[in-house]
Amino acid sequence: MLILGIESSCDETAAAVVEQGRVIRSNIVASQVDTHRPYGGIVPELASREHIKNIVPVVEQALQAAGVTFSQIDGIGVTYGPGLVGSLLVGLSYAKSVAYALGKPYVGINHLEGHVYSVVFENPPIAYPALALIVSGGHTELYWMPAAEKYKRLGHTRDDAAGEAFDKVAKLLGLGYPGGPVIDRLSPRGNPEAVSFTIPRMTDGTLDFSFSGLKTAVRRYVEEKGIKPVVDPEHPPQDVLDLIASFQRAVVRTLLDRVASAVATTKPQTLVLAGGVACNRQLRREARAFAERVGIPLYYPSPPLTTDNAAMIAAAAYPKLRRGEHSDFALTAVAGLKLHNLDLEPASSRRKVRYRI
Ligand code: KG4
Ligand code: ZN
């Protein structure tokens, strides 16, 4: 089964052709980073306009690179939420037009489910129950998955997403956009112990996250120490390097603190780490060390499949299209689409174990 995946939820126009849900025949991503860079963040209106310009050539390129024509495609998977509504509508409307014109099935896919499926290409099949941490520019969510396509949200961010915190801290320090890759690259040159940030925990016992306090703590530190935005982003002064290394350490520790708590109560068979922030090398390293300590396999994608792409959307569409699940042409974009589809409580272990991170 050949599936055309289409993704346009944020600032990447992407199309991919995936065979049998696991083999990538092509994976094309047109990034809009240069368009949004001068603003230090995504401008929704500009994003929609860029998608309109890019969607047709990107899909054509994906078909060409896969060596197939529209007529050889068996179905289409397209992101319909969550994301920027104007951006989502471009990919969704285009996918519907193609499905209608060709008389082929199409299915709307939740972008977050796409991120979960981003691990299927380079890892063994996910063993269930699984625990998935999705960390991106728009989301920081922890899911318990007792079976494929079943999601119980154990925690989510109450304010900023982890990627958003990276982007805002980088902007504050004049390090450029997007901030995550820059901070990841520069942090090894700083001392992560230089500034001590507290790891916030929720008083209500949930596994929710919060990153706005950390962002404010960074801003206060910058004001107190009189740190100025850097002049040369390639060579920031040592106090800035120390600050971002300490900030990155705090983000990684916060994320893994919740994962450790969830592992202790849900005893998963697989850990999944996905979303743009999962590119972060310190997060990967520490998550791997933690997974080895607790003896649970950890799956994350290689960097091109970690940030937004359409191969993951095609992979998520595969089980649905295979069992004949199709979306109606009345389907519309849902900016705040939820992934949570289960109210079961995870089977709690009798003995609570606390893992150190
Ligand atoms: O998943 P993604 O491509 O788009 C969304 O769905 O949001 O994630 C983009 C986010 C941005 O905030 C970016 O700064 C962050 O992922 N990011 C990183 C790294 N690479 C991308 N954050 C930390 N370290 C990285 N290496
Ligand atoms: Zn994403």
Side-chain angles (χ1 to χ4, degrees), residues 111 115 136-138 163-164 166-167 178-181 184 275-277 279-280 307-308:
H111 179 79
H115 275 302
S136 71
E164 198 177 347
F166 271 100
D167 295 339
D184 185 359
V277 180
C279 280
N280 187 272
T307 47
D308 288 351

Side-chain angles (χ1 to χ4, degrees), residues 163 165-168 170 176-187 248 277 280:
F166 271 100
D167 295 339
K168 286 180 176 169
Y177 169 84
V182 183
I183 291 179
D184 185 359
R185 186 161 44 80
L186 295 172
S187 284
Q248 179 173 281
V277 180
N280 187 272

Side-chain angles (χ1 to χ4, degrees), residues 130-203:
L131 197 65
L133 177 68
I134 307 171
V135 262
S136 71
H139 300 273
T140 303
E141 314 217 339
L142 187 60
Y143 288 94
W144 178 64
M145 299 170 58
E149 300 176 77
K150 297 277 178 263
Y151 305 93
K152 159 104 184 164
R153 194 171 75 179
L154 301 180
H156 71 289
T157 183
R158 300 230 179 137
D159 38 61
D160 292 348
E164 198 177 347
F166 271 100
D167 295 339
K168 286 180 176 169
V169 165
K171 187 175 179 180
L172 173 73
L173 296 169
L175 292 171
Y177 169 84
V182 183
I183 291 179
D184 185 359
R185 186 161 44 80
L186 295 172
S187 284
R189 284 155 52 186
N191 172 9
E193 316 262 337
V195 190
S196 120
F197 293 116
T198 47
I199 309 294
R201 288 206 178 83
M202 296 298 147
T203 47

Side-chain angles (χ1 to χ4, degrees), residues 264-284:
T265 50
T266 63
K267 299 276 175 65
Q269 298 291 311
T270 317
L271 291 173
V272 171
L273 180 60
V277 180
C279 280
N280 187 272
R281 289 170 301 167
Q282 186 176 357
L283 176 58
R284 285 175 182 251

Side-chain angles (χ1 to χ4, degrees), residues 81-152:
L84 301 169
V85 81
S87 291
L88 288 163
L89 282 170
V90 176
L92 180 60
S93 307
Y94 180 79
K96 282 188 198 178
S97 322
V98 172
Y100 185 75
L102 299 175
K104 308 245 171 166
Y106 93 101
V107 66
I109 297 295
N110 184 312
H111 179 79
L112 298 175
E113 182 161 51
H115 275 302
V116 171
Y117 275 82
S118 67
V119 303
V120 304
F121 305 107
E122 301 153 317
N123 295 286
I126 297 174
Y128 296 96
L131 197 65
L133 177 68
I134 307 171
V135 262
S136 71
H139 300 273
T140 303
E141 314 217 339
L142 187 60
Y143 288 94
W144 178 64
M145 299 170 58
E149 300 176 77
K150 297 277 178 263
Y151 305 93
K152 159 104 184 164

